[in-house]
Amino acid sequence: MALNTSQSRAADAWAEPGAASTGAPSGRRTLRRRPGRPGKPDNRVTRYLVLVLLIGAAVLMLAPLVWAFSTSLRTPAQSFTLPPMWLPTDFAWENYRQVFEVSRFANYVTNNVVVSVAIVLGQLATASLAGYAFARLRFPGRGVLFGLVLATIMVPIQVTIVPIFILISEIGWADSLVALIVPAWPTAFGTFLLRQYFKTIPHELAEAAAIDGAGEWQIFFRVYLPLAKPGLAVVAILAFNFHWNEFFRPLIFLSSPEKFTLPLGLVNLQGYMGTGSISVVLAGIVISLLPVLALFIIAQRFVVEGLMRGGLKG
């Protein structure tokens, strides 16, 4: 395999000293560590400082999750003790059972799964088609139209919620899960990310497929879409994570308790006057976190790869 300039320099750094500079035949070389430079201790100090900062940031981010899990296993009387306890003295596992007994928690989870999965599938379809069109097709006004799509990212949902609510009421979708699903299908961020991803795919692949007689749809489905799996995974994971925890739109569009999604169900679990047990509420929150954590752990490799490749070409 051919090495680029940086890789060749890195290889020379580990090679026998003097062999590269004299131009002598390489023969059998022994890998030796290059003698330390004067600035090496400073680099180690910098790495240790960065490591300490990262550990501190990780502790700050994990502390609320640990506290929520710990409190979900306490009795309500132990939930607000001072100084706070990180480990309960008695593990109240019945709090997790009460989550399903005092509310329609299974119904909330089912509604949330239906809404989140339907939105993910719709966003993958619209974002991949729009991203392919902006990346590969040539049509008048393409740049202006893409700029308008990007501009919608800066418009908050609170600005558009009233006209969307009026529209779904006029067509009879009020107080239904469809009202949450269909308006969420267009995604400006997903379109932008997949456009960037499609631009990294060589034109020669499409030209070779066209020479073999493939049409535009066949090129899209058989060439570009299979190569864009990491980008599609990023769009799917981000969309699932956002809409799994979405609270604002369900609060506006839904009024029947049997149609509530999980975030609204957690509020219902707490009680409209805040009379519910905080331990039971946190047990419900811990359960609601499990699908998102499992999805991210399984697909985090695709997230990193998709974001890196999507940002390489403008």
Side-chain angles (χ1 to χ4, degrees):
M1 179 183 297
L3 299 179
N4 56 32
T5 304
S6 60
Q7 289 172 331
S8 299
R9 290 175 179 173
D12 291 338
W14 287 93
E16 186 176 2
S21 60
T22 59
S26 57
R28 183 179 180 182
R29 294 183 175 181
T30 303
L31 296 180
R32 294 179 180 177
R33 189 179 295 277
R34 173 176 284 183
R37 298 176 179 176
K40 201 83 171 184
D42 296 336
N43 294 334
R44 285 201 296 269
V45 171
T46 303
R47 286 201 298 271
Y48 290 148
L49 288 176
V50 171
L51 184 61
V52 170
L53 289 176
L54 291 177
I55 293 175
V59 170
L60 289 176
M61 295 181 68
L62 291 176
L65 295 178
V66 175
W67 182 86
F69 181 68
S70 172
T71 307
S72 70
L73 294 175
R74 301 177 200 168
T75 61
Q78 295 177 335
S79 300
F80 299 101
T81 56
L82 292 175
M85 298 184 304
W86 286 100
L87 291 176
T89 55
D90 298 321
F91 291 89
W93 293 102
E94 63 271 15
N95 291 334
Y96 285 85
R97 178 174 51 80
Q98 291 183 16
V99 169
F100 295 90
E101 291 180 348
V102 301
S103 69
R104 304 178 179 183
F105 199 77
N107 183 236
Y108 302 150
V109 173
T110 303
N111 292 339
N112 221 36
V113 170
V114 171
V115 171
S116 301
V117 172
I119 290 176
V120 167
L121 295 178
Q123 288 197 359
L124 288 179
T126 59
S128 59
L129 288 171
Y132 179 81
F134 284 122
R136 296 299 178 189
L137 303 184
R138 299 291 181 269
F139 53 89
R142 185 184 65 160
V144 175
L145 186 59
F146 183 64
L148 292 175
V149 171
L150 290 184
T152 61
I153 298 177
M154 294 178 283
V155 180
I157 184 63
Q158 289 81 2
V159 175
T160 60
I161 193 68
V162 173
I164 292 176
F165 180 79
I166 295 174
L167 178 62
I168 65 173
S169 299
E170 291 292 332
I171 60 179
W173 287 357
D175 193 23
S176 69
L177 298 183
V178 181
L180 297 177
I181 296 171
V182 177
W185 280 350
T187 164
F189 174 75
T191 301
F192 168 76
L193 184 66
L194 289 180
R195 172 188 175 270
Q196 302 299 100
Y197 206 92
F198 286 138
K199 287 174 74 69
T200 65
I201 299 175
H203 283 280
E204 289 78 6
L205 294 176
E207 293 173 357
I211 292 174
D212 290 339
E216 203 65 50
W217 283 103
Q218 290 176 314
I219 294 174
F220 171 68
F221 280 110
R222 296 186 177 182
V223 178
Y224 280 86
L225 213 53
L227 293 175
K229 287 181 180 177
L232 295 171
V234 173
V235 175
I237 292 169
L238 294 181
F240 185 86
N241 186 32
F242 177 80
H243 292 286
W244 181 267
N245 299 309
E246 188 179 20
F247 179 78
F248 182 65
R249 290 193 314 129
L251 179 65
I252 301 297
F253 293 159
L254 301 179
S255 56
S256 301
E258 66 272 14
K259 297 176 182 175
F260 280 1
T261 55
L262 196 51
L264 287 184
L266 291 175
V267 175
N268 198 29
L269 191 64
Q270 183 185 14
Y272 293 109
M273 300 298 292
T275 54
S277 168
I278 186 64
S279 299
V280 176
V281 174
L282 287 174
I285 292 175
V286 171
I287 295 174
S288 69
L289 289 175
L290 296 180
V292 180
L293 289 176
L295 180 65
F296 181 77
I297 291 173
I298 294 172
Q300 60 176 335
R301 179 172 61 87
F302 296 103
V303 174
V304 175
E305 181 182 354
L307 289 176
M308 289 182 64
R309 290 192 60 183
L312 289 179
K313 191 169 184 178

